[in-house]
């Protein structure tokens, strides 16, 4: 079968590889769609010593099941979690499976090297059955976005948005845009979206999804912007973590700054401790590992509460991945989400 490999930013190739035999608790998924996560590209520049398979946002059809698999059967349409929690840990038994961020449960990306002959960007993938979530009522492209949508939902939950809150979404990539829709549905009074003016599609999509005002951060400092209530009650940060200090500066008293994201070259964040202390602010980290909320996210899409279909700006076939990725990265104005699709 064919599978794509990544070594460093902008370095991709498609290979012919062989799948190993599946274990009793695994399945083979015939991959139908896989979304490209920009973090894969960033991570490769820091950790990839050699070519590695990639792609963890995908959906498909179960083609073969191991002897002990009972939760899915051949022919089921599934989207795939990246990792699940260990139900035997104390944190899980105490009602906080999200605290298992090792994770100790089944993990799609941490299995043996034999497994890693193919991940989501491949014709087929071997997956622990426990990571398969069945779905219906939406396309494979939409189902492939359930993984980043779960990330957005974790950020939304971490921010604890209340009725009548004014909210700033700082960074309008796909996760920020999904979190924006959740903030709107969750009762936000007014939503501000902050993004570069050159990211035309992101800014237009933020308006479509309910942003009341767009702040072009390459043209105005957030601290100088005239917010209706002087500041905002909640900030959802999907921009680089270095912007957390700025987010604190535009928070109203009692505000919450929720952020996600890893910075490999600038992990240290500075903020004015007096601003946080005197204004009684909270800075909260969101980390959606293990992957949770897939069933809930599926319901939100099917109910029309969150639109993920509009996020797909680029589609391509597996064999065209190297050229498609180059085009996607060069298309700064219209790029939102790139998804590999297969008939």
């Amino acid at each position: 079968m064919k599978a794509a490999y990544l070594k460093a930013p902008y370095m991709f190739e498609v290979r012919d590889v062989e799948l190993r035999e599946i274990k009793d608790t695994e399945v083979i998924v015939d991959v139908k769609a896989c979304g490209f996560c920009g973090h894969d590209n960033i991570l490769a520049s820091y950790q990839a010593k050699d070519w590695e398979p990639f792609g963890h946002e995908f959906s498909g059809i179960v083609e073969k099941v191991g002897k002990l698999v009972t939760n899915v059967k051949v022919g089921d349409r599934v989207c795939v979690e990246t990792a699940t929690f260990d139900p035997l840990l104390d944190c899980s038994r105490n009602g906080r499976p999200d605290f298992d961020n090792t994770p100790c449960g089944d993990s799609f990306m941490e299995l043996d090297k034999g497994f890693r002959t193919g991940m989501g960007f491949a014709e087929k993938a071997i997956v622990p059955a426990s990571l398969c979530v069945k779905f219906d009522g939406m396309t494979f492209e939409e189902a492939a976005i359930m993984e980043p949508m779960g990330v957005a939902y974790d950020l939304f939950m971490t921010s604890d948005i209340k009725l009548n809150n004014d909210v700033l979404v700082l960074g309008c990539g796909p996760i920020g845009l999904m979190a924006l829709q959740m903030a709107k549905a969750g009762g936000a009074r007014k939503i501000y979206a902050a993004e570069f003016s050159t990211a035309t599609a992101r800014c237009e999509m933020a308006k479509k999804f309910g942003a009341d005002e767009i702040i072009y951060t390459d043209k105005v400092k957030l601290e100088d912007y005239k917010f209706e209530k002087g500041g905002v009650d909640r900030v959802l940060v999907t921009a680089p973590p270095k912007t957390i200090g700025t987010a604190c500066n535009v928070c109203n008293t009692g505000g919450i700054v929720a952020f996600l994201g890893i910075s490999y070259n600038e992990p240290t964040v500075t903020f004015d401790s007096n601003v946080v202390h005197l204004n009684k602010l909270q800075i909260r980290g969101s980390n959606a590992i293990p992957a949770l909320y897939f069933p809930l996210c599926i319901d939100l899409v099917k109910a029309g509460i969150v639109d993920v279909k509009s996020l797909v700006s680029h589609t391509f076939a597996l064999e065209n991945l190297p050229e498609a990725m180059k085009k996607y990265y060069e298309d700064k104005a219209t790029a939102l989400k790139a998804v590999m699709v297969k008939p």
Side-chain angles (χ1 to χ4, degrees), residues 20 52 96 107 112 154 201 207 221 226 267 329 343:
R20 63 166 171 80
E52 293 193 9
R96 294 304 303 261
S107 173
D112 59 87
D154 191 83
K207 294 177 186 176
K221 287 182 61 177
K226 303 301 182 183
Y329 271 107

Side-chain angles (χ1 to χ4, degrees), residues 30-41:
D30 179 14
V31 178
K32 293 297 184 181
C34 183
F36 179 73
C37 173
H39 183 255
D40 288 329
N41 212 23

Side-chain angles (χ1 to χ4, degrees), residues 71-320:
N71 63 311
V72 293
K73 64 182 184 303
V74 172
D76 282 345
R77 295 155 61 94
V78 297
C79 44
V80 179
E81 296 175 337
T82 50
T84 191
F85 56 89
D86 184 343
L88 302 181
L89 291 180
D90 287 349
C91 63
S92 301
R93 286 175 158 158
N94 286 334
R96 294 304 303 261
D98 55 312
F99 285 176
D100 177 15
N101 64 356
T102 315
C104 298
D106 287 332
S107 173
F108 173 58
M109 294 181 287
E110 299 297 336
L111 294 181
D112 59 87
K113 286 291 183 181
F115 168 77
R116 291 172 63 79
T117 51
M119 290 178 68
F121 284 112
E123 292 181 312
K124 305 178 191 297
I126 295 176
V127 179
S130 63
L131 303 184
C132 292
V133 179
K134 293 187 286 187
F135 73 91
D136 59 18
M138 61 183 181
T139 66
F140 286 110
E141 291 92 331
E142 290 174 301
I145 299 178
M146 291 305 96
E147 194 277 338
M149 186 174 170
V151 174
Y153 187 76
D154 191 83
L155 178 65
F156 166 71
M157 292 290 288
T158 300
S159 69
D160 193 23
I161 292 171
K162 304 294 186 184
L163 290 172
N164 209 43
N165 279 165
D166 280 7
V167 175
L168 168 64
V169 178
L170 183 49
C172 294
I175 290 173
L177 289 170
M178 287 186 281
L180 188 156
Q181 295 179 72
M182 296 170 192
K184 188 75 173 180
R189 185 191 78 99
K190 188 164 187 174
I191 297 178
Y192 302 87
E195 184 54 82
F196 294 125
S197 61
T198 51
T200 309
R202 293 183 176 195
C203 296
E204 289 302 315
M205 201 62 65
K207 294 177 186 176
K208 174 182 176 178
F209 290 153
D212 298 285
E213 297 183 26
I214 308 296
I215 306 171
Y216 300 116
T217 52
D218 54 335
K219 296 184 176 183
V220 61
K221 287 182 61 177
L222 276 176
E223 290 93 340
D224 295 334
Y225 193 78
K226 303 301 182 183
F227 294 97
E228 186 176 320
K229 294 198 301 187
V232 294
D233 306 302
R234 301 289 188 270
V235 185
L236 280 60
V237 180
T238 63
K242 65 182 180 181
T243 61
I244 290 172
T246 298
C248 292
N249 292 339
V250 299
C251 263
N252 293 326
T253 301
I256 294 173
V257 175
F259 78 98
L260 61 84
I262 299 173
S263 178
Y264 293 98
N265 55 357
E266 293 182 282
T268 302
V269 174
T270 60
F271 58 86
D272 188 330
S273 61
N274 288 331
V275 169
V276 175
H277 170 68
L278 296 173
N279 293 332
K280 302 179 181 180
L281 305 183
Q282 297 180 47
I283 301 173
R284 300 180 178 182
S286 167
N287 180 18
I289 294 177
L292 297 170
Y293 312 122
F294 272 46
L296 184 148
C297 289
I298 291 169
D299 285 346
L300 290 175
V301 171
K302 291 171 65 174
I305 295 172
V306 177
D307 174 7
V308 298
K309 184 178 293 185
S310 296
L311 298 175
V312 181
S313 58
H314 294 64
T315 59
F316 57 91
L318 175 62
E319 57 268 25
N320 298 330

Side-chain angles (χ1 to χ4, degrees), residues 6-17:
L6 167 67
K7 185 176 183 180
Y10 314 107
M11 294 179 64
F12 307 93
E13 68 177 33
V14 178
R15 300 178 177 179
D16 288 312
V17 299

